[in-house]
Amino acid sequence: MFFLDFVAIPKDDPIAFTFFTGYMAMMAASVFFFFERSRVDGKWKLSLLVSGLITGIAAVHYFYMRDYYLATGDNPTALRYIDWTLTVPLMCVEFYLLTKAAGAKMGLLWKLIIASVWMLVAGYIGEAFNPEGGSTTHSVLWGVISTLGYIYVLYAAWFGEVAQLAEKSQNETVKRGVRTLAWFVLVGWAIYPIGYMCMPGGWLNTAFGWDSSSVDLFYNIADAINKIGFGLVVYYIATTETARLKAA
Amino acid sequence: MTRIQFIFYGLFLILLALFSGIGQIDSSVEIIVAASLVILVGIPHGAVDHILYLDGKKINPLFFYGAYLGLIIVNIALWIWLPVFSLIFFLANSAVHFGQSQFSDFNKIPKKTALILNICWGASILLGLVFYHFNEITNVVSQTPDLLPFMMVLNRELLFVLLLIFSVTAITSMVYATANKALTIEKLMLELIIFGLIHIAFFLLPLLIGFTLYFVLLHSLKVMLEEFRYLRFKKRGLSIMGFVKMLAPFTVLSIFFGAVVILLAYLGILQASYALIFLVLLSAITLPHSIVMDQFYKGVFQKIR
C-alpha cells in the first residue's frame, strides 16, 4: 500500500522538501476550511467550500507531483498545469462569489474563468511543447499570449467589474477582502511567469542561465502562499461577516 | 494602484517578453520609438506651464514668457561655458522633478522627508539607468568628441555607491513616511513595487525603451492627468479636446524649435553632435518647467488633492 512505502527525502533537496510540506499544508488547509464551513453563515458556506476544494485539489496533485519528482527528478509540468487548470479558475470563482451580493452576474464568472484558462493553456503550450533544447521564440510567443489572460484578471480585480462591485457592496470587509485578493493576483501570481521564464528557451534561462531545476521551488512556495492565503482571506471575510450578522 | 501604474506594469510584462525574444534592436529603431513617444506625450506635458503658473497671479504674461525664455537661454549658455556642471545640474534637477511628480498625491509627508524622498527617488532611478547601461553610454560618449568632457563623471564604482545610497535612502524615507502615517501600508507596497519595476525595466530593456516607458507613462502622462484635473476644476466643462487645444500651441512651438536646431546640426551650421543637442535642449526646457511644476505642486494643486 502506498501509505506504507518508505519515501526518502534527500537532505540537500529543498524542492523535495517543499513538495512534502506543500502537500501536507494544502491537505491541512482543506480540512480546516471544510470543518470551519459549519461555523459560518449560510451565504458564505459556498465560498469556504470552494476554498477547501482549491487546497484539496492541490493537495492531491502535490501528492502525485511529489512522487513523480522523487522518481524522475524532472519537473512534473503536466500535473502542475492540470492542478492550475482546476484551481486557478476556482480562485476566480471566489471573486464572483464575494461580489455576488453586490450584483455580480454569471457573465463576470465566465469572463474570469475564460481569462484564467486562456492564461494556463497558453502557458502550458509554451512550457510543455517547447522544441528540444528550448526555443526562445516559442517561449516568448506563448508567454505573451498567456500574459494577456493574466492582465485581464489583474485588471478586473483592481479596476474592472470585480473592483467596482466590491466598491458598490458598501461592505468594508468585502472591499478589503477583494483588495487583498487583488494583491495576491498582482504579487503572488507574478511568481509563475518568473518560473516560466526559467524553462529552457525562456528569457531568464538564456540571459542568466537560470535553469528549470529552480522552478519547482518557486512554484511550490508560490502555490502554498497563493492557495492557502487566498482561502484564509475568504475565511476572514466569512467569519467577520458571520460575526457581524450575529451581532446585528 | 492607479490605472497608469497598471498600464506600466502590463506594458512592462509584454515588452519584457518581446525583448527577450527579439534581443537587441537597432539603435535607430529605439530612437524613432522613443522620439515619437516623447513628442506625443513628453513635450505636451510641459506645454501648459504658462497657464498653470499665471493662474490667479497678477503677473504680466510677457514677463513670464521672458523669464521662461531667459532661463532656457541661460541654461544653454551654461552648457557652453560649464558643460560638466550643466550635466550634473540637469540630472539633479531632473531627479528632484521626477521624485516630486511621483509623490505629488501624498500631501501628508512632512516637508523635509518629502524633499529627501523626492531627491533620492529621482536620483536612484536616473543613476540606475546610467549604471545598468554603463558600457553602452561609455561607448557613445567616448566616440563622440563633444561628449568627451563627460567621461569624467562616468565612474562605475562611484555610480554604484551613489545608486546604493540614494536607493536605500529613498526606501527608508518611504518606510519612515509610512511609520508616520503619511502613507498607508498599501501605498508603501505599491510604491516599492513601482520603484522596483522601474529599476528592473531600466536593467532589462534597451536604454531608450526602458526610459521612455517610465518617462511617458509614469511621469508625463501622470503629470498631464494632474494638469487636466486642475484645469477642469478651474474651468468646468473642460473636455479632453479642449485640453489638447490648450497643449497644442507650445507643443508645436517646441517641436518646431527643436526641429530647426536639428536641421542646423544636420546642415553643419551648428557644430554639435545630435546627442549633445538632445541633452542641451532637454535640459533647457526642463529647468523652467520644473520650477513651474514645483510652484504648481506646492500651490494650486493642493486645492484638488
Side-chain angles (χ1 to χ4, degrees):
Chain A
M1 286 182 69
F2 64 88
F3 282 125
L4 300 177
D5 284 345
F6 179 72
V7 182
I9 309 174
K11 280 183 224 171
D12 58 347
D13 193 345
I15 297 169
F17 184 86
T18 52
F19 270 120
F20 272 87
T21 48
Y23 156 60
M24 288 310 305
M26 301 284 194
M27 195 166 76
S30 301
V31 169
F32 175 75
F33 292 135
F34 288 143
F35 271 94
E36 285 295 296
R37 197 174 161 269
S38 60
R39 298 208 308 136
V40 300
D41 182 71
K43 70 175 187 177
W44 297 108
K45 287 187 191 298
L46 184 57
S47 298
L48 271 190
L49 173 64
V50 171
S51 295
L53 286 175
I54 290 169
T55 48
I57 290 168
V60 171
H61 283 111
Y62 265 76
F63 177 80
Y64 285 106
M65 285 195 282
R66 177 202 72 176
D67 281 356
Y68 181 90
Y69 175 77
L70 286 173
T72 66
D74 286 340
N75 315 107
T77 307
L79 282 165
R80 219 181 257 292
Y81 272 90
I82 292 168
D83 172 54
W84 288 339
T85 308
L86 294 169
T87 54
V88 174
L90 281 176
M91 286 191 218
C92 294
V93 168
E94 293 281 33
F95 278 120
Y96 164 74
L97 291 174
L98 291 174
T99 52
K100 200 172 165 194
K105 303 272 187 290
M106 286 299 287
L108 170 64
L109 175 63
W110 282 113
K111 279 187 269 190
L112 289 173
I113 287 175
I114 289 168
S116 58
V117 170
W118 169 293
M119 179 176 73
L120 293 163
V121 168
Y124 183 62
I125 294 171
E127 249 188 82
F129 294 95
N130 210 332
E132 192 63 42
S135 159
T136 304
T137 306
H138 173 94
S139 178
V140 164
L141 173 66
W142 288 103
V144 170
I145 294 171
S146 177
T147 301
L148 295 174
Y150 170 64
I151 288 173
Y152 176 80
V153 176
L154 189 69
Y155 179 80
W158 280 91
F159 302 104
E161 269 183 85
V162 172
Q164 288 163 16
L165 285 165
E167 197 58 40
K168 195 177 149 196
S169 73
Q170 308 256 323
N171 183 319
E172 284 308 314
T173 311
V174 167
K175 276 194 237 175
R176 257 203 312 270
V178 168
R179 178 53 68 91
T180 308
L181 295 184
W183 270 100
F184 271 100
V185 177
L186 176 65
V187 179
W189 291 19
I191 292 170
Y192 302 109
I194 294 174
Y196 177 87
M197 287 191 275
C198 287
M199 302 310 289
W203 184 74
L204 290 174
N205 177 249
T206 51
F208 297 111
W210 292 11
D211 62 39
S212 50
S213 62
S214 325
V215 156
D216 281 300
L217 189 62
F218 290 135
Y219 285 164
N220 292 352
I221 295 169
D223 267 351
I225 294 169
N226 287 330
K227 292 186 166 84
I228 299 171
F230 217 82
L232 286 173
V233 171
V234 173
Y235 172 73
Y236 167 76
I237 295 170
T239 50
T240 307
E241 285 299 291
T242 301
R244 190 176 67 84
L245 285 166
K246 280 185 181 162
Chain B
M1 179 166 48
T2 64
R3 280 175 203 270
I4 290 176
Q5 288 170 338
F6 173 81
I7 294 168
F8 176 80
Y9 182 55
L11 273 177
F12 164 73
L13 289 176
I14 302 281
L15 284 175
L16 184 63
L18 279 173
F19 278 99
S20 66
I22 295 166
Q24 288 297 318
I25 61 168
D26 199 70
S27 58
S28 57
V29 173
E30 249 189 278
I31 291 168
I32 289 167
V33 168
S36 307
L37 288 168
V38 165
I39 287 169
L40 274 171
V41 187
I43 291 177
H45 93 281
V48 286
D49 282 355
H50 57 300
I51 300 174
L52 297 176
Y53 189 84
L54 293 170
D55 179 56
K57 291 190 182 81
K58 289 180 181 148
I59 297 175
N60 188 334
L62 288 175
F63 176 77
F64 170 80
Y65 297 133
Y68 204 97
L69 277 171
L71 277 171
I72 290 174
I73 292 166
V74 164
N75 200 307
I76 293 172
L78 214 56
W79 273 95
I80 298 167
W81 184 39
L82 295 167
V84 176
F85 168 81
S86 298
L87 175 67
I88 295 170
F89 178 77
F90 168 50
L91 291 173
N93 186 34
S94 300
V96 175
H97 179 55
F98 286 155
Q100 192 175 39
S101 78
Q102 182 66 22
F103 298 100
S104 59
D105 292 323
F106 305 121
N107 57 347
K108 292 182 184 167
I109 303 178
K111 281 194 177 128
K112 280 184 188 156
T113 311
L115 185 63
I116 294 169
L117 177 56
N118 293 345
I119 292 170
C120 292
W121 190 94
S124 169
I125 65 165
L126 284 174
L127 284 165
L129 185 70
V130 176
F131 181 73
Y132 304 139
H133 297 278
F134 186 80
N135 292 338
E136 187 186 336
I137 292 171
T138 310
N139 214 28
V140 169
V141 170
S142 63
Q143 289 176 4
T144 313
D146 56 9
L147 295 182
L148 283 173
F150 304 130
M151 281 299 285
M152 65 187 279
V153 300
L154 289 172
N155 179 309
R156 189 192 279 268
E157 287 75 27
L158 178 63
L159 280 172
F160 177 70
V161 168
L162 288 173
L163 172 61
L164 209 59
I165 291 170
F166 282 117
S167 302
V168 168
T169 312
I171 293 169
T172 309
S173 305
M174 284 190 259
V175 172
Y176 178 77
T178 308
N180 284 283
K181 308 220 188 296
L183 290 179
T184 61
I185 293 186
E186 188 181 65
K187 291 284 183 197
L188 170 68
M189 298 300 297
L190 279 168
E191 288 300 328
L192 288 174
I193 287 171
I194 291 296
F195 189 53
L197 280 178
I198 293 170
H199 274 282
I200 294 170
F202 283 2
F203 178 68
L204 296 176
L205 296 172
L207 189 153
L208 286 179
I209 301 294
F211 179 71
T212 303
L213 184 68
Y214 157 73
F215 179 69
V216 165
L217 281 174
L218 292 179
H219 178 70
S220 302
L221 199 57
K222 180 183 190 270
V223 171
M224 276 211 293
L225 283 171
E226 288 168 344
E227 291 166 351
F228 178 61
R229 254 171 64 205
Y230 173 72
L231 291 170
R232 199 168 51 168
F233 166 78
K234 291 293 292 183
K235 189 179 173 188
R236 286 191 190 283
L238 178 69
S239 64
I240 292 177
M241 271 318 292
F243 180 58
V244 169
K245 283 179 188 166
M246 281 181 174
L247 297 171
F250 282 102
T251 301
V252 169
L253 205 62
S254 304
I255 294 168
F256 175 74
F257 178 68
V260 164
V261 172
I262 289 169
L263 182 65
L264 290 174
Y266 178 75
L267 294 172
I269 297 167
L270 192 58
Q271 295 289 321
S273 65
Y274 292 122
L276 182 62
I277 288 169
F278 171 75
L279 268 177
V280 173
L281 287 179
L282 203 57
S283 161
I285 55 172
T286 299
L287 177 59
H289 167 64
S290 62
I291 294 171
V292 168
M293 291 311 294
D294 180 65
Q295 294 290 305
F296 174 66
Y297 283 130
K298 287 175 179 165
V300 295
F301 186 63
Q302 303 289 327
K303 293 180 192 171
I304 59 157
R305 257 187 177 161

